[in-house]
Amino acid sequence: MNTSGHAADAVRDDTAGLRLHPFRGIRYVPERVGSLAAVTSPPYDVVVRPDGLLHLESADPHNIVRLILPQAVTAGTRHRKAAVTMDRWLAEGVLAPDPHPALYVYEQRGDGVLQRGIIGALELTRPDEGVVLPHEDVMPHVVEDRAALMRTTAANLEPLLLTYPGDGDGADAVIGRAVLREPLLATTTEDGFHHRLWAVTDPAEQAAVTTELARHQALIADGHHRWATYLRLRDEHPSPGPWNQGLVLLIDTVRYPLRVRAIHRLLSRLPVADALTAVGDAFRVRRVERPLPEALEALAGAASEGNAFLLAGDGAFHLLDRPDPALLARTVRTDRPEAWRTLDATVLHATLLEHVWRVPDAPEDIAYIHDTAAAVAQAERRGGTAVLMHPVREEVVRDLARQGVTMPRKSTSFGPKPATGLVLRSLALD
C-alpha cells in the first residue's frame, strides 16, 4: 500500500522544501555491548508494558531504553538519570561519535517488507509552512515529558518516521549505491527484522540527496509528539544552531510503501459490563464468539460499512457498530470535513469516551497500545476494557493532512518503525 500518494506532493514554488543536514551520529561500539540487537528498542511509545520495559532492561545493561524511558521516582530525576547515563556511556566508550558528519542509509527487512530511507538532521518548520505535515493531534503532557528529556540530555535519541514521494532520482540512487557497500552495522532484532546502516559522507552524494528533498514536503508517519517537542525546544533556542534541526528517517513511499495499522485504547477503570450497559441502544452490540483473528475479521467487515469497534476484557469480544445517527449529530463537531467527522477515532473520543462512557482524557484512564493481543491481555488482567480499532485507510490520512486537518491523536500506526539505538544525535556535536 502506498502510504504517501499525494500526501506529500512537491512543495509550492514559493516554499522551501525539506532541508536535510548531515550530522555526526553517535553509535554503540559493538565490542562494548553484548550485541547490537540487545541494546536496541522499539520507539518509546511502543514500549508500554512494564514487562516489556523490564525485558529490554534485562537484555543488556546498556539497552537504549535506559535513555528513552529512564526509571526513577520523579520526572526530573528520570531525565537527569538519562543524561548521566548517556554521559557515562560516552566516557566509557560504550557509545562513540562517528568521525565525520554523515547522512545515513537505513535498511529494514522482514515480514515480507523491504524498507530503505535516509536518516539526517532535518531543519524544523511550522505546520503552516506546508513542508512537514502532521496528521494527528498531540497530548501536552507527553510533549512536556519528551521536551524535558531532550533538554536534559541535549540529544535526539530516536528518529521520527517521515514519508515523501520520491522521483526516482537523487536519494534513491544514493541509497542504491550505499547498499552495495559493507554496512557500518548489521543486526537482527528479536522481532525477526534485519537492520543495516551505512554512512554517506561524500559531499556530492549528500548534495544529491538534499537537492531532491528540497523539492518535496513530507508527512509525519510516526513521531508527532517528538516533532512538537523539536518545535518547542527550537522556540527555547531561537538563534540558528543545532536546536533548529531534528533527527528523522525519511522514506520514499513511492519506492518503499509503509503499512498502516491501528492503535488500540485500554480503559483500565471501565469494566466491559459497565461499558456495554452504558452503550444501551446507542450502537448495535453483538457478542463475537470467535478467536481474536476471526473477531478482527468481523471488525473489518463491520468497519467497511461504517464506524465499528471491538470491545474485549471479559474473556469475550463484543462488536459495536451502526451508531445512532442522532447521537453522532449531537456529539461530533460539525466544523470539520466529513472525512474527519466519520473517523472511528473521532466517534470513539467524541461520542463514546466523552458522552457515553464519560472517561476522562487522562493517561491514568486511557492508554494507547499498538499490539492487539497485548491490549486484550492487559484489559483482562486489569478488569478494564480494550477498545480494538480498525486501521484508517491511508488515503484518508493523506487527504486530511493536505487540508491541514489533524486527526485525533494515536489514530494511526505507520510501520515498520525504525529501531531505536542504531544511531543517535548529540546536539553538543552539531
Side-chain angles (χ1 to χ4, degrees):
M1 182 189 302
N2 185 342
T3 59
S4 174
H6 299 290
D9 292 324
V11 296
R12 304 185 308 269
D13 290 341
D14 61 345
T15 302
L18 299 164
R19 296 177 177 174
L20 193 67
H21 301 274
F23 69 102
R24 288 182 64 194
I26 291 179
R27 297 186 295 109
Y28 281 97
V29 177
E31 296 78 15
R32 299 302 305 274
V33 297
S35 71
L36 289 175
V39 295
T40 62
S41 163
Y44 80 97
D45 58 340
V46 179
V47 186
V48 294
R49 297 178 297 169
D51 55 333
L53 180 64
L54 179 61
H55 171 72
L56 290 167
E57 288 183 330
S58 303
D60 189 284
H62 302 107
N63 189 282
I64 193 66
V65 78
R66 296 181 184 274
L67 301 185
I68 63 172
L69 288 173
Q71 300 301 295
V73 176
T74 67
T77 303
R78 289 198 304 271
H79 304 142
R80 287 192 297 274
K81 182 178 181 180
V84 169
T85 299
M86 184 173 176
D87 288 344
R88 185 177 71 250
W89 291 354
L90 285 165
E92 295 174 348
V94 174
L95 293 172
D98 283 334
H100 305 292
L103 298 175
Y104 294 85
V105 170
Y106 175 47
E107 177 189 272
Q108 292 170 275
R109 187 191 296 267
D111 193 25
V113 174
L114 172 63
Q115 179 172 287
R116 290 170 176 161
I118 301 285
I119 295 176
L122 185 65
E123 198 160 314
L124 305 179
T125 55
R126 299 184 310 275
D128 60 8
E129 295 178 65
V131 177
V132 175
L133 304 177
H135 70 267
E136 288 185 356
D137 292 331
V138 297
M139 293 175 277
H141 74 278
V142 176
V143 175
E144 179 58 41
D145 179 73
R146 291 296 99 183
L149 178 63
M150 288 189 202
R151 189 184 299 117
T152 307
T153 58
N156 299 156
L157 300 172
E158 46 187 339
L160 283 64
L161 177 60
L162 274 60
T163 71
Y164 73 101
D167 51 22
D169 197 6
D172 192 51
V174 171
I175 290 172
R177 288 191 292 270
V179 300
L180 299 178
R181 304 195 300 262
E182 189 72 18
L184 288 176
L185 63 85
T187 189
T188 301
T189 46
E190 63 180 4
D191 59 4
F193 270 80
H194 306 285
H195 307 263
R196 296 196 295 172
L197 191 76
W198 295 263
V200 176
T201 57
D202 180 81
E205 292 203 317
Q206 292 178 353
V209 173
T210 57
T211 298
E212 177 185 348
L213 293 176
R215 298 194 296 269
H216 294 287
Q217 60 183 182
L219 177 73
I220 300 177
D222 185 69
H224 284 82
H225 289 89
R226 283 167 284 164
W227 184 258
T229 298
Y230 287 167
L231 294 177
R232 174 179 293 194
L233 295 175
R234 182 189 66 171
D235 291 343
E236 295 176 5
H237 303 80
S239 60
W243 296 95
N244 194 44
Q245 301 166 8
L247 186 64
V248 303
L249 165 63
L250 280 156
I251 301 291
D252 170 6
T253 47
V254 172
R255 182 73 174 83
Y256 301 104
L258 272 67
R259 294 175 174 176
V260 187
R261 292 190 169 96
I263 302 177
H264 311 295
R265 275 62 171 164
L266 172 63
L267 314 178
S268 297
R269 300 181 179 181
L270 180 68
V272 173
D274 293 349
L276 295 173
T277 298
V279 167
D281 297 328
F283 285 71
R284 182 175 69 168
V285 180
R286 290 176 288 164
R287 188 180 177 95
V288 181
E289 298 286 355
R290 304 178 196 172
L292 177 58
E294 296 181 20
L296 291 174
E297 291 179 4
L299 172 62
S304 68
E305 301 178 0
N307 299 120
F309 310 94
L310 195 65
L311 306 190
D314 62 350
F317 297 105
H318 309 271
L319 183 63
L320 274 59
D321 64 356
R322 299 185 183 179
D324 177 6
L327 176 62
L328 297 183
R330 292 197 309 272
T331 56
V332 177
R333 57 191 293 182
T334 59
D335 60 344
R336 296 289 181 92
E338 175 72 11
W340 182 91
R341 289 186 280 118
T342 56
L343 286 170
D344 285 340
T346 298
V347 172
L348 172 61
H349 284 263
T351 303
L352 280 170
L353 291 173
E354 184 174 338
H355 181 81
V356 175
W357 293 331
R358 301 191 183 279
V359 174
D361 188 4
E364 58 268 24
D365 290 285
I366 305 175
Y368 298 85
I369 301 180
H370 293 73
D371 184 82
T372 308
V376 174
Q378 287 203 48
E380 293 178 347
R381 185 165 60 245
R382 300 182 185 186
T385 297
V387 183
L388 306 183
M389 312 278 287
H390 186 67
V392 180
R393 291 181 294 113
E394 61 87 15
E395 57 264 30
V396 174
V397 179
R398 174 194 70 203
D399 291 341
L400 287 173
R402 294 180 69 199
Q403 296 177 62
V405 178
T406 54
M407 300 164 62
R409 53 184 170 264
K410 301 296 184 182
S411 294
T412 59
S413 176
F414 285 82
K417 304 178 190 303
T420 298
L422 296 181
V423 61
L424 289 62
R425 174 178 176 251
S426 169
L427 280 76
L429 292 177
D430 285 8

